[in-house]
Amino acid sequence: MSFNSLGLSDALLKAISKKGYTTLSPIQQKAIPPILEGKDVLASAQTGTGKTAGFTLPILQILSQGQHLSRRPIRALILTPTRELAAQILANIKEYSEFLDLRSTVIFGGVNQNPQVTQLRQGVDILVATPGRLIDLQNQGLISLAKVEILVLDEADRMLDMGFLRDIERILKVLPAKRQNLLFSATFSKDIKKLAMGILHNPVHVEATPENTTVDAIIQKVYPVAKEKKTELIIKLITEGNWKQILVFTRTKQGANKLTESMISAGIKAAAIHGNKGQGARTKALAGFKDGSLTALVATDIAARGLDIPLLPHVVNFELPNIPEDYVHRIGRTGRAGASGEAISLFSPDETVFLRDIEKLVGLKLPVENIKGFEPDPNASKEPIKQGQGRQQRDSTPRKPKTDTSNRSSNNSFGPRRPSQNNDRRSNR
Ligand code: AMP
């Protein structure tokens, strides 16, 4: 299906063609027509499916057809969980709206609010925001949402995980009752369904299995390794394999820093990206990783959420995630857009429970390969590492901790959905 068949304006089609898109992704095929008709949409889609264009293009079409008010009140509000995702959505909107008379901006926490306020004062049609900063500016009387016609909740499951439910409820209260609502989520827990039911009116349900997370497209391997030899092994893999672009996941921020330092000492160009890094450092690291000046990006799960990094050849789980669903999100970063990729997990005996949970979730026994000289001691303890030590740390500043991820499930093609018992497992990331 081509973009020409949607009835989009020439200005939008020109921008789409400039991006090099020729055919619609499945989620775009399913979501764009009902959004253009003004319907509420409940979409099951995660990063990598083309979901951003799936809601952005019809919004731009609707807004550009609508009445132009000289004051430019905010007419579309897009809420996202993280700053990176917010910045990426804005970047997409700017590209798609290049030939339209629509203004857009982004607001998120962790940076000075003044430039954001200046932008808002000049008038914007589309606002992308993380909930915390939006509420702050709203409380200061610096923002009006009274003219919002379209609301998007993107990565709604992440927003709930990160404790933004109360903020979302507060934002809903100041929006006009009559509006179009779009909710995108990768997973559908009881809480998400409840949120959706409270917001959406007769929604059209659309679902897309991410093209990038099919078993065929991703080669998954588990390398058993002694815990203390993981750093040495990953450095060996990168240098001997001459890997050029590798995304590495650690469970904690401290772990990300430590590994990055070791890689740099070994001559690998690496940077860490996590919630303790300032926005400038995060943006710089991501840009360096994308343009090839950095070989390795070491990330925690929450920091990596929503990052748009196309065609990643290697993803390495330096530590297995303690939330099995995160494994699926992590490996979904490789083999994107039909290209094959490799997802390698360095697995130490104390992660036995995590591996078992992941295999249960994906419904697969992951292939194990031993690497000579790195095998763990067969008598090493299989006791899990202690969880929940240290403060709960996140990338943003939600008001109310929210840990009920019960019945989280994945919309991937890896296997059965199952309840999660991991409510206490997110910490220190
Ligand atoms: P998203 O799921 O929105 O993060 O998009 C993932 C990637 O797919 C981004 O790099 C988009 O620029 C790209 N993309 C979105 N729609 C299309 C399309 N129809 N054809 C090719 N690439 C696309």
Side-chain angles (χ1 to χ4, degrees):
M1 191 174 174
S2 87
F3 285 94
N4 291 331
S5 57
L6 293 170
L8 300 175
S9 67
D10 288 347
L12 267 174
L13 290 175
K14 191 171 159 191
I16 292 165
S17 144
K18 198 172 164 192
K19 281 287 283 176
Y21 303 165
T22 49
T23 48
L24 291 148
S25 74
I27 195 73
Q28 292 165 357
Q29 283 183 33
K30 292 176 192 164
I32 294 177
I35 300 175
L36 285 173
E37 285 171 29
K39 293 187 175 140
D40 281 8
V41 167
L42 177 62
S44 165
Q46 63 189 51
T47 301
T49 55
K51 68 179 166 73
T52 315
F55 61 77
T56 303
L57 294 173
I59 289 177
L60 291 171
Q61 174 74 19
I62 293 168
L63 296 188
S64 60
Q65 282 171 333
Q67 215 190 348
H68 276 272
L69 302 166
S70 54
R71 229 174 15 83
R72 286 188 192 264
I74 296 162
R75 289 193 288 152
L77 172 65
I78 300 165
L79 290 179
T80 78
T82 64
R83 317 170 218 185
E84 278 80 12
L85 186 59
Q88 246 155 41
I89 292 173
L90 181 76
N92 281 340
I93 294 174
K94 293 267 187 213
E95 286 173 327
Y96 303 140
S97 63
E98 186 183 344
F99 307 109
L100 295 170
D101 178 25
L102 289 172
R103 285 198 214 143
S104 47
T105 195
V106 65
I107 59 171
F108 46 69
V111 292
N112 187 326
Q113 72 174 43
N114 293 341
Q116 299 177 353
V117 173
T118 307
Q119 287 265 327
L120 288 169
R121 286 216 172 101
Q122 287 164 358
V124 290
D125 303 282
I126 305 165
L127 177 66
V128 187
T130 54
R133 175 57 59 96
L134 180 63
I135 296 230
D136 283 348
L137 297 187
Q138 160 86 20
N139 286 344
Q140 295 172 58
L142 295 168
I143 203 160
S144 167
L145 301 173
K147 300 279 181 205
V148 169
E149 296 163 27
I150 308 174
L151 169 71
V152 182
L153 295 184
D154 192 26
E155 302 213 349
D157 50 349
R158 287 288 130 194
M159 285 201 271
L160 294 197
D161 270 3
M162 292 171 71
F164 286 129
L165 179 61
R166 245 189 68 206
D167 282 354
I168 293 170
E169 286 168 351
R170 288 174 64 183
I171 293 164
L172 289 173
K173 280 197 186 122
V174 298
L175 295 178
K178 190 173 170 300
R179 52 169 204 268
Q180 185 178 7
N181 302 288
L182 315 173
L183 189 148
F184 283 72
S185 190
T187 58
F188 281 88
S189 65
K190 262 197 329 245
D191 289 338
I192 286 287
K193 286 183 190 145
K194 201 169 139 206
L195 179 74
M197 268 164 50
I199 295 177
L200 304 165
H201 302 289
N202 300 324
V204 175
H205 292 239
V206 297
E207 187 164 355
T209 308
E211 294 161 76
N212 57 326
T213 52
T214 61
V215 180
D216 295 343
I218 303 168
I219 299 159
Q220 300 175 70
K221 285 183 200 160
V222 173
Y223 293 157
V225 55
K227 199 175 185 58
E228 63 282 3
K229 287 205 162 178
K230 281 191 175 186
T231 305
E232 193 188 329
L233 177 57
I234 196 170
I235 289 171
K236 177 183 152 80
L237 290 170
I238 296 171
T239 46
E240 292 185 5
N242 200 17
W243 291 358
K244 298 283 183 240
Q245 202 185 31
I246 159 181
L247 180 62
V248 186
F249 285 94
T250 60
R251 223 163 18 231
T252 66
K253 296 183 258 203
Q254 296 85 342
N257 286 340
K258 212 169 141 219
L259 178 60
T260 306
E261 281 162 26
S262 303
M263 284 181 169
I264 292 169
S265 305
I268 297 167
K269 294 191 186 90
I273 181 162
H274 56 64
N276 281 2
K277 295 272 174 188
Q279 187 57 29
R282 284 151 60 124
T283 308
K284 191 167 159 233
L286 186 59
F289 188 57
K290 280 186 173 178
D291 71 20
S293 49
L294 281 179
T295 302
L297 188 66
V298 185
T300 56
D301 290 288
I302 288 175
R305 193 72 57 204
L307 293 187
D308 176 20
I309 308 164
L311 295 172
L312 215 46
H314 304 284
V315 168
V316 173
N317 296 311
F318 184 75
E319 289 150 333
L320 287 181
N322 45 352
I323 314 273
E325 285 84 353
D326 284 343
Y327 176 82
V328 178
H329 282 290
R330 288 179 179 190
I331 71 163
R333 308 249 156 218
T334 184
R336 305 191 83 172
S340 70
E342 196 176 42
I344 288 174
S345 298
L346 308 189
F347 159 64
S348 53
D350 60 342
E351 295 171 315
T352 302
V353 175
F354 301 159
L355 182 60
R356 193 199 60 205
D357 283 356
I358 290 165
E359 290 182 335
K360 248 195 232 165
L361 176 73
V362 304
L364 274 182
K365 188 108 188 90
L366 299 179
V368 171
E369 275 181 32
N370 285 300
I371 301 198
K372 217 169 172 328
F374 289 89
E375 301 94 335
D377 174 353
N379 300 318
S381 166
K382 292 193 167 62
E383 274 301 297
I385 47 154
K386 286 215 170 66
Q387 291 298 312
Q389 290 173 335
R391 219 155 38 89
Q392 180 92 2
Q393 294 172 324
R394 300 183 184 81
D395 285 358
S396 293
T397 36
R399 274 121 231 271
K400 182 185 152 213
K402 172 80 175 68
T403 49
D404 180 12
T405 55
S406 60
N407 204 23
R408 269 175 60 87
S409 57
S410 177
N411 73 332
N412 59 77
S413 54
F414 284 84
R417 296 175 175 211
R418 63 170 207 120
S420 161
Q421 320 102 352
N422 302 311
N423 296 350
D424 57 347
R425 285 191 180 178
R426 278 185 205 281
S427 67
N428 206 22
R429 310 189 312 164

